[in-house]
Amino acid sequence: MRTRREPLRVVADDLSGAAEAAGVLCRYGYPATVALEPGHVFDRATVLDLHVRNSGPSAAIQIHDGLHREHVDYVKIDSQLRGPVRLLVQAASEYSVVVFAPALPHLQRTVHRGKLLIDGAPLRVSSTSAWKTESGTAPHRLVDVVPPFLPARHFSVAAVRSGEFARELSTGQRGEVFIPDTHSDGDMRAIANAITATPHVVTPVGSAGLLEAIVANAERPQLRYKPNAGTARKVVLVLGSLEPVVASQRAALKVDSTTVVVRSDLEEASLTALIADALQRPPRVIVVMTEASSGPHDVSVAQRIGQATAAAVRHDSQVAMALIGGETARQTLQSAGDNLLEVVGEVHPGAVLSITASGRRVVTRPGSFGAVDSLHQIITTLLGDAPRDRQEEGTQ
């Protein structure tokens, strides 16, 4: 990680990950802006959403442009290795040593013997793996997503804890990829200490867990941001993720709400009309969700939902939005013309509260994050005075 005094610059592969990273920076005293497009220069920390999680063949060009336009201090990837991780590692390796550490111990996502585990089970066979909604197969080992022409070095957790990893990293060469095992937050701190102590440039490629460990070490004032969403008139909660945990979180949302189901045969104009109509009537929460389905996630559905939601709320900035899933969040905000988010805090880790240029309050969150009451926390934060009585729904 660079030791220069320029504002921190982070890139992420999708919007919810970018906001998650910005939330971590904000938590540790770095006011942060999330940018949906490159080219913005700020005197504060910036997290650029590369928008490459599902971008296919164009990902390589977008990644190269995003990483090499100016200095990058951190590359934020999915903690379950979805998206073009290989391309991101390759781009980061062109100018520095790379530390590849996707673990997120507080969510029981660890690395053991070079394999990513979820709750102790390998990513490929875990019952809670997000790869169930992907078209491909989860990688077996971390080295499998490192380009074969790059020298990759694996380090056991014993090497991380003994200081061997730090010693070897201090003599690393540009293009080398260091892959440390990570069992705990303490291991993550040891990896962060090794990165910050290394005399040459190191680019970390990892989850928000490693980013947090790095910025927690920095000599910065511990500015604590308390989310304050004021009193939004309404909240549109868009469930754009098919993660299994979202269904249980939805069931635990103990506020009155109206549900708009996005059927496969529902055109965008009709969906916009349904959301707009719900905004004119009680209750104060409108849940927009897709029909249950199996198999890979259809990105075009996120686009349709995003455009319809943006059209329905465009003329009322007092309608807040809670956007679950990175692709859905990106499509919604971009359709609304909101390419910059000023991050003001976290509802909980991963659920990030931001304000758009028009003053709209927005919470973004990856699909797989949060306890069972996550959506309830998000909604009550945005409304401020949301009733906590039994939920009553009307399905349209």
Side-chain angles (χ1 to χ4, degrees):
M1 197 164 184
R2 293 162 174 77
T3 57
R4 52 205 296 175
R5 293 180 177 274
E6 297 169 356
L8 283 170
R9 180 175 170 81
V10 177
V11 296
D13 70 327
D14 80 341
L15 182 58
S16 61
E20 179 192 358
V24 169
L25 296 176
C26 190
R27 191 190 315 159
Y28 285 91
Y30 295 85
T33 296
V34 174
L36 276 65
E37 302 292 342
H40 299 283
V41 179
F42 303 99
D43 59 356
R44 56 189 286 167
T46 306
V47 186
L48 172 64
D49 170 25
L50 295 173
H51 189 43
V52 292
R53 175 70 64 84
N54 302 296
S55 60
S58 66
I61 295 174
Q62 293 170 255
I63 289 169
H64 188 275
D65 183 56
L67 265 68
H68 303 304
R69 181 181 291 267
E70 54 186 280
H71 81 269
V72 170
D73 295 292
Y74 196 91
V75 179
K76 164 68 174 67
I77 60 170
D78 177 50
S79 61
Q80 297 194 49
L81 301 178
R82 293 171 296 172
V85 178
R86 183 190 299 265
L87 292 173
L88 289 162
V89 170
Q90 179 181 339
S93 72
E94 293 181 12
Y95 294 101
S96 73
V97 180
V98 172
V99 172
F100 181 25
L104 202 56
H106 79 271
L107 289 183
Q108 305 305 312
R109 299 172 188 177
T110 59
V111 175
H112 178 63
R113 295 183 178 178
K115 299 179 181 179
L116 183 62
L117 309 180
I118 302 179
D119 293 320
L123 179 64
R124 186 172 289 186
V125 300
S126 169
S127 61
T128 58
S129 171
W131 281 84
K132 294 182 181 301
T133 60
E134 297 292 315
S135 58
T137 303
H140 180 57
R141 302 173 302 164
L142 295 189
V143 72
D144 294 339
V145 293
V146 175
F149 53 83
L150 293 179
R153 303 178 61 185
H154 168 253
F155 292 84
S156 68
V157 72
V160 170
R161 294 173 181 177
S162 70
E164 178 188 348
F165 169 77
R167 291 190 295 272
E168 292 297 313
L169 184 63
S170 68
T171 61
Q173 301 294 314
R174 185 182 71 183
E176 287 188 306
V177 180
F178 285 63
I179 305 175
D181 280 355
T182 315
H183 292 182
S184 67
D185 289 331
D187 298 333
M188 198 65 88
R189 289 191 292 271
I191 296 166
N193 288 337
I195 291 170
T196 54
T198 298
H200 49 74
V201 175
V202 176
T203 303
V205 177
S207 69
L210 180 56
L211 177 62
E212 178 174 5
I214 291 172
V215 297
N217 284 343
E219 296 181 1
R220 297 280 300 186
Q222 296 292 301
L223 299 178
R224 298 293 179 177
Y225 287 79
K226 182 180 180 181
N228 178 13
T231 54
R233 185 179 72 83
K234 295 265 190 173
V235 175
V236 177
L237 168 61
V238 183
L239 303 179
S241 172
L242 297 177
E243 294 286 344
V245 69
V246 174
S248 58
Q249 293 169 342
R250 168 79 179 94
L253 182 59
K254 302 184 185 303
V255 296
D256 290 344
S257 65
T258 295
T259 300
V260 176
V261 177
V262 185
R263 302 186 309 272
S264 58
D265 61 345
L266 190 62
E267 295 182 355
E268 181 185 320
S270 299
L271 178 56
T272 299
L274 285 174
I275 299 171
D277 180 64
L279 286 169
Q280 301 307 312
R281 301 181 285 104
R284 300 174 69 194
V285 177
I286 296 91
V287 179
V288 181
M289 58 188 295
T290 59
E291 292 180 301
S293 63
S294 59
H297 182 58
D298 185 352
V299 176
S300 66
V301 175
Q303 183 177 16
R304 183 158 51 106
I305 293 174
Q307 292 175 344
T309 302
V313 306
R314 181 170 287 118
H315 300 296
D316 189 347
S317 63
Q318 291 304 305
V319 176
M321 295 190 297
L323 306 173
I324 309 303
E327 187 67 33
T328 300
R330 169 81 185 206
Q331 294 292 346
T332 305
L333 291 168
Q334 196 166 43
S335 296
D338 292 320
N339 291 320
L340 294 174
L341 297 175
E342 180 185 354
V343 176
V344 297
E346 299 171 294
V347 179
H348 61 70
V352 179
L353 175 64
S354 303
I355 298 178
T356 69
S358 64
R360 190 184 312 282
R361 292 156 174 83
V362 177
V363 171
T364 55
R365 200 207 74 186
S368 62
F369 275 51
V372 69
D373 65 342
S374 171
L375 298 181
H376 188 75
Q377 290 185 53
I378 291 170
I379 294 301
T380 53
T381 296
L382 288 170
L383 288 179
D385 59 348
R388 296 175 180 266
D389 55 2
R390 179 176 60 85
Q391 179 182 3
E392 296 180 2
E393 300 182 7
T395 302
Q396 301 186 39

